[in-house]
Structure formats: C-alpha cells, structure tokens
Amino acid sequence: MTVQADTFHTETVVLLHSLGTDHGLWAAQVPALEKHFQVLTPDSPGHGGRPGQGAINLDTWVDDIDALIAPLEQPVHLVGLSMGGVQAMAYSARYPHRVRSLVLANTFAAIDPNAAENKIKSIHEAIDAQGMDRYAEQYLLDTLTTEIDPQVRTRLRRAISGVTAEDYLRASEATFRADLVARLTAITAPTLVMIGDGDKKTPLPLSETLVAQIPDARLAIVPGAGHLSNIDAPDAFNDLLLGFIAARRTTVVSS
C-alpha cells in the first residue's frame, strides 16, 4: 500500500487493481496523484502476497474495502480497473455516502452468463495446463497493446504469477459472475467511465451500459490503449483521471 500524506493532503484516492495484478499496477499514477492527495493502493485478498480469504464474492470484497475506507471518516475518490472496477461499483452502491467521485476503467457491471462460464472454464484450463508463470506471460501477450518498459512488464508478470491458482480462480469466478446492473442506480457519486480504444477484453458496449445506468456518469476514451489502459497509455490515462478527480475535490491545496 502506498500512502503519501501531509497536513495539506486532506482528501484520499483509493486505487483498486485488476485481476492477478497488485498495487504495482498503479506505479505510473501514484506519483501524479500524491502531489495533491493521500493515495491508498490496497492489494485485494490473495494478491500482492496477501493471504486469500477462502470464499470470495462481492460482499466479502465490499467488507474488505470498507475496513480501509470507513476509518478515514470522509468520502474518498474511488478508482477501479477491471476487477477493481467491479469492486468499486459494488462498494459505491452499498456505501454511496463514502464515495466522493468514482472512476471505472475497462470494466463491466455484468457479462452474458454463458460467456462468463466459458471465460472461467478457459482460465481454469489454461492455468491447469501452463501453471501460473506461463499463464501470466500469455496473459500479458494477449492483453498489452503497446511496448512498455521491460521492468514494468516484469513486475506485472511477477505479480500475476505470484497469485496462487486457487486464489486466482476464486477471484476470476467472483469477477465474471458478478451482476451489478440492478445496483448501478444506487451509485450517487459523479462517475467517469474510461475505456481503452483498443480494449478487446471489455468492449465499448459494456462501458456504454455503465454510462447509461449510473445516474451521473460520462464516458472517456483512452487513445492508444487496450485493457490495461493505465499501463498502455499512462500519460493519457493520467490526464483524464487527474482532470476528473481534481474538478471534484472539495479542498484546494498548493502543489
């Protein structure tokens, strides 16, 4: 977890990572954000070396996130990418008063149940056949759309391969079987829905559903990016993220 705070940093941004990755996913965002905010980058259960919690579902995720946010005693700017976006939506629907603004990147409220089961089955088969290290490498080959810094790529691969097969499968099942469509109207925070223009894992119509169903939401396209849009195009992602959050802060601080 990354924390940067001083007497001027009175608002908090919480960044929730994608399936298999960890807090390191946000390495390009934290330095830009922590100039003006306290930044928290929690690892989801079973990720980043954190022990798994056995059964995982939307409610256990929300409880876990609330253990971090509730003690802050102020609303946060909540950001989630892919799995983290599913978690962020579930949290914002249950605790709307604890979310000042919401950013959902490359994510979905629900996917077709048959497609979800096929996805889970294919992940299970790939991990059984390849093991987590080879699976992590193949995932990055299939997901990244740009040539990124080799050190960043290695860090991502190690994060994914470091998740146990059992924890990865539990998290994938909770992610792809999620159905949050009926809860979207409970989200009251102004919301930015971001999607990479080359994202083939969460196609644009899934983001358009979020914009249509969340009461105060708008869409932003991240050019030159795929599913991990904050990794593929960090500068474009940061411009959209910081512009949105900064316009919705309630305090003014010096840089």
Side-chain angles (χ1 to χ4, degrees), residues 161-196:
S161 65
V163 180
T164 68
E166 293 78 12
D167 285 331
Y168 193 96
L169 290 167
R170 289 188 188 108
S172 68
E173 289 168 0
T175 300
F176 295 116
R177 289 175 179 159
D179 187 348
L180 289 160
V181 174
R183 305 189 202 182
L184 296 181
T185 56
I187 297 173
T188 59
T191 301
L192 178 65
V193 179
M194 300 171 68
I195 181 73

Side-chain angles (χ1 to χ4, degrees), residues 64-153:
D64 186 69
I65 295 165
D66 196 50
L68 174 72
I69 292 177
L72 299 174
E73 298 184 342
Q74 64 170 341
V76 302
H77 303 279
L78 187 58
V79 182
L81 188 147
S82 194
M83 179 184 78
V86 172
Q87 295 170 338
M89 277 182 276
Y91 186 85
S92 300
R94 191 199 294 182
Y95 296 114
H97 61 291
R98 292 183 179 159
V99 181
R100 191 181 306 280
S101 71
L102 177 63
V103 178
L104 303 171
N106 307 85
T107 193
F108 55 86
I111 60 176
D112 175 79
N114 289 330
E117 294 308 315
N118 287 337
K119 179 67 173 174
I120 292 167
K121 180 181 178 183
S122 68
I123 290 172
H124 201 299
E125 291 174 347
I127 290 175
D128 281 348
Q130 301 172 353
M132 286 303 299
D133 195 57
R134 287 177 56 201
Y135 175 84
E137 179 61 28
Q138 189 61 52
Y139 175 85
L140 294 177
L141 288 172
D142 294 341
T143 304
L144 295 171
T145 61
T146 61
E147 290 292 330
I148 65 172
D149 184 306
Q151 291 184 334
V152 174
R153 195 180 191 285

